[in-house]
């Protein structure tokens, strides 16, 4: 017998009833996006490798080690997207979405692919909700984007969490900081192999290293805040002031840099308390230089990504359940089945979710099925009911039963 084929390591099936929770999160996000004026983009999962190499930075773990890259049949080098921002900007520039006045507000949902070592909360195909606001460097936009993120997380009932915020400054501040950090790292012993290289090529990446020893060394490293020029400092302070005004609790995280090279000024992350090693459920920041890097105009922008897989781990079990009632029609005999089938369609037309069994099973078997399907009410129709023109309506939670005229059933059920 042929062996069963399994899913690829690090990639998993998300099945019902779990998918109901995912839908609830995505619904909450879509509602919040609409309130804040965002429109959805749907983008290809495959892009030219060059897009990510240029956008994310050659020295990052993502581009260096984690991309699913392969030549297609024509020999073009393609990559399964490891993140969405580069693709969003590519699409914006290609389709002229950056034209016209005002901030362009876009969001997109879907899978991302990174060849990381799979563990709890870390997958090779994972899912993000991405938000991007393009066309302004105003600190009010930073604050608005963070407020939007926190609103989505609140709507989905995320419990204890911490919002970490930092400013990476403009490229000039960053250059000065990199020089200072490089100097600090120059004589440090015991950095991991990657960091020994990065301390000269791109010392900012050392701050993002996951090795415990590198982290220990970094405890005394210089912090970005001390290298911010007056404009970047004022920008950062204004963002923090606005967050405070709207009651958002944040912590300054002086060494937060995030894993991509394109960030400037505001960078932030939300970590969920109790998630263990992989505790970041969302992250984002400003990327003012990215559009130019991709051959576009000067287009300051800011965005965030929510990691849905990790978020699901900490959200309430019953999220999104119990919306709307469900009716099961138990029919006994061919004539009852025929009538119930028509009734079922009438119910659905009236917006009531209903199911029935076409298997001509016993009442007991049908009641068991109704339970398993989570029906709130069951309508029992047999020969007696057909004769009297009344069906038995049973409330599953309590077992209460009442007789309802068949002709009135759709109306009664719609009103329950
Ligand atoms: P990033 O694109 O690296 O800024 O990540 C944004 C968010 O995506 C993180 O905060 C995580 O919640 C999520 N994320 C990133 N990588 C993975 C992964 N390999 N598996 C699951 N979630 C991930």
């Amino acid at each position: 017998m042929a062996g069963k084929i399994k899913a690829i390591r690090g990639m998993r099936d998300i099945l019902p009833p779990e998918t109901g929770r995912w839908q609830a999160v995505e619904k909450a996000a879509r509602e919040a996006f609409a309130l804040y004026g965002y429109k959805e983009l749907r983008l290809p999962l495959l892009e030219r490798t060059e897009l990510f190499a240029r956008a994310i930075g050659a020295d990052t773990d993502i581009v260096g080690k984690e991309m699913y890259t392969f030549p297609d049949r024509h020999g073009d080098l393609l990559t399964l997207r490891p993140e969405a921002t580069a693709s969003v900007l590519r699409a914006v520039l290609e389709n002229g979405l950056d034209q016209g006045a005002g901030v362009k507000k876009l969001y997109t949902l879907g899978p991302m692919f990174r060849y990381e070592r799979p563990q709890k909360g870390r997958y090779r195909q994972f899912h993000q909700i991405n938000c991007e606001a393009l066309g302004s460097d105003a600190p009010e936009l930073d604050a608005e984007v963070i407020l939007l993120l926190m609103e989505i997380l609140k709507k989905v009932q995320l419990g204890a969490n911490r919002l970490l915020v930092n400013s990476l400054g403009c490229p000039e501040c960053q250059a000065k900081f990199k020089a200072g950090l490089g100097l600090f790292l120059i004589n440090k012993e015991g950095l991991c192999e990657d960091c020994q290289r990065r301390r000269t090529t791109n010392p900012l990446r050392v701050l993002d290293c996951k090795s415990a020893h590198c982290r220990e060394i970094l405890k005394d490293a210089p912090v970005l805040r001390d290298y911010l020029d007056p404009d970047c400092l004022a920008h950062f302070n204004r963002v923090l002031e606005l967050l405070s005004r709207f009651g958002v609790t944040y912590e300054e995280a002086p060494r937060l840099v995030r894993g991509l090279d394109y960030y400037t000024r505001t960078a932030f992350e939300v970590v969920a308390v109790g998630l263990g090693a992989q505790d970041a459920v969302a992250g984002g920041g400003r990327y003012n230089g990215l559009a130019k890097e991709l051959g576009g105009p000067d287009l300051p922008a800011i965005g965030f990504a929510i990691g849905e897989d990790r978020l699901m781990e900490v959200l309430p079990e019953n999220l999104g359940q119990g919306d709307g009632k469900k009716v099961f029609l138990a029919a006994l005999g061919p004539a009852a089945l025929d009538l119930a089938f028509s009734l079922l369609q009438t119910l659905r037309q009236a917006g009531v979710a209903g199911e029935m069994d076409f298997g001509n099973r016993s009442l007991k078997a049908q009641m068991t099925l109704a339970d398993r399907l989570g029906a709130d009410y069951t309508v029992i129709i047999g020969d007696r009911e057909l004769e009297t023109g009344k069906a038995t309506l049973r409330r599953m939670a309590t077992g209460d039963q009442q007789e309802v005229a068949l002709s009135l059933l759709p109306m009664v059920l719609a009103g329950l």
Side-chain angles (χ1 to χ4, degrees):
M1 203 176 74
K4 278 191 195 147
I5 297 173
K6 290 196 168 163
I8 295 169
R9 187 163 129 84
M11 305 201 179
R12 64 204 176 117
D13 305 310
I14 299 162
L15 307 171
E18 181 65 4
T19 38
R21 302 171 75 236
W22 286 67
Q23 286 173 1
V25 167
E26 288 162 11
K27 181 164 171 263
R30 286 178 193 282
E31 284 168 6
F33 281 131
L35 278 179
Y36 282 74
Y38 285 76
K39 299 277 189 304
E40 184 180 2
L41 290 185
R42 299 195 182 194
L43 303 175
L45 303 189
L46 272 178
E47 297 275 2
R48 293 183 187 284
T49 303
E50 188 194 351
L51 173 69
F52 303 114
R54 253 157 80 179
I56 301 172
D59 257 330
T60 58
D61 279 349
I62 296 180
V63 172
K65 312 177 193 168
E66 296 171 358
M67 294 205 303
Y68 278 89
T69 296
F70 57 93
D72 71 1
R73 289 173 191 278
H74 185 252
D76 290 335
L77 207 54
L78 306 182
T79 293
L80 274 169
R81 64 178 185 194
E83 59 108 44
T85 304
S87 305
V88 170
L89 260 188
R90 198 261 317 129
V92 164
L93 299 176
E94 187 171 337
N95 297 288
L97 302 184
D98 56 322
Q99 304 300 314
V103 176
K104 313 300 174 311
K105 296 177 163 184
L106 303 164
Y107 75 93
T108 190
L109 313 180
M112 308 292 153
F113 303 85
R114 292 184 197 168
Y115 196 85
E116 293 189 86
R117 195 172 55 76
Q119 63 181 83
K120 186 169 143 55
R122 201 204 267 156
Y123 306 97
R124 289 181 172 172
Q125 173 173 333
F126 58 99
H127 305 79
Q128 289 186 343
I129 299 173
N130 283 86
C131 161
E132 318 287 350
L134 309 111
S136 165
D137 189 33
E140 289 75 13
L141 185 60
D142 301 46
E144 189 187 82
V145 162
I146 297 175
L147 285 169
L148 166 58
L149 168 63
M150 299 317 281
E151 185 159 322
I152 295 173
L153 296 178
K154 192 168 152 202
K155 269 182 174 227
V156 298
Q157 301 170 49
L158 173 66
N161 64 81
R162 296 159 59 210
L163 167 64
L164 312 176
V165 193
N166 194 17
S167 173
L168 305 188
C170 62
E172 289 76 44
C173 303
Q174 257 183 45
K176 284 185 201 144
F177 174 70
K178 281 181 191 170
L181 182 60
L183 213 58
F184 168 82
L185 291 170
I186 201 132
N187 296 322
K188 293 287 178 287
E189 305 255 317
L191 286 171
C192 73
E193 216 171 282
D194 279 342
C195 288
Q196 285 181 34
R197 178 172 44 81
R198 288 162 170 166
R199 71 176 151 196
T200 45
T201 57
N202 188 354
L204 213 57
R205 291 274 61 84
V206 178
L207 288 184
D208 200 38
C209 183
K210 286 151 194 149
S211 129
H213 190 66
C214 293
R215 281 177 175 272
E216 187 60 37
I217 292 176
L218 287 166
K219 280 200 168 136
D220 303 318
V223 291
L224 270 150
R225 205 183 216 293
D226 296 337
Y227 287 77
L228 296 184
D229 63 25
D231 276 356
C232 287
L233 191 60
H235 190 279
F236 187 37
N237 285 336
R238 172 78 175 148
V239 176
L240 299 181
E241 174 207 323
L242 288 169
L243 292 180
S244 299
R245 184 193 298 177
F246 295 103
V248 176
T249 313
Y250 62 84
E251 293 170 35
E252 277 192 57
R255 295 200 172 82
L256 179 74
V257 290
R258 319 233 341 97
L260 304 92
D261 265 355
Y262 51 59
Y263 287 115
T264 52
R265 293 197 158 171
T266 313
F268 53 93
E269 203 158 88
V270 176
V271 299
V273 175
L275 250 188
Q278 306 298 324
D279 62 354
V281 292
R286 243 188 201 286
Y287 48 92
N288 288 351
L290 185 55
K292 263 196 161 157
E293 193 65 43
L294 296 177
D298 199 9
L299 189 69
I302 177 163
F304 65 73
I306 298 176
E308 288 188 85
D309 307 74
R310 275 183 210 169
L311 190 60
M312 294 303 161
E313 300 269 331
V314 276
L315 296 187
E317 271 308 307
N318 61 356
L319 187 79
Q321 276 154 30
D323 298 358
K325 64 182 168 298
K326 193 165 176 183
V327 178
F328 185 85
L329 301 184
L332 300 164
L337 188 144
D338 187 68
L339 181 101
F341 193 38
S342 296
L343 182 60
L344 185 61
Q345 281 310 100
T346 310
L347 284 180
R348 290 171 177 162
Q349 304 291 311
V352 178
E355 288 194 70
M356 64 181 286
D357 175 45
F358 303 128
N360 202 13
R361 270 181 268 251
S362 70
L363 180 61
K364 188 161 173 272
Q366 292 196 51
M367 293 311 275
T368 309
L369 183 59
D371 255 337
R372 207 177 67 213
L373 292 172
D376 302 289
Y377 295 91
T378 299
V379 177
I380 302 163
I381 308 173
D383 289 341
R384 189 176 62 83
E385 282 81 3
L386 288 178
E387 257 167 47
T388 58
K390 286 183 182 162
T392 305
L393 174 64
R394 180 184 174 93
R395 189 167 172 202
M396 299 302 276
T398 57
D400 294 345
Q401 297 197 163
Q402 67 186 97
E403 304 266 285
V404 179
L406 285 169
S407 58
L408 296 180
L409 257 179
M411 206 179 72
V412 170
L413 289 171
L416 283 172

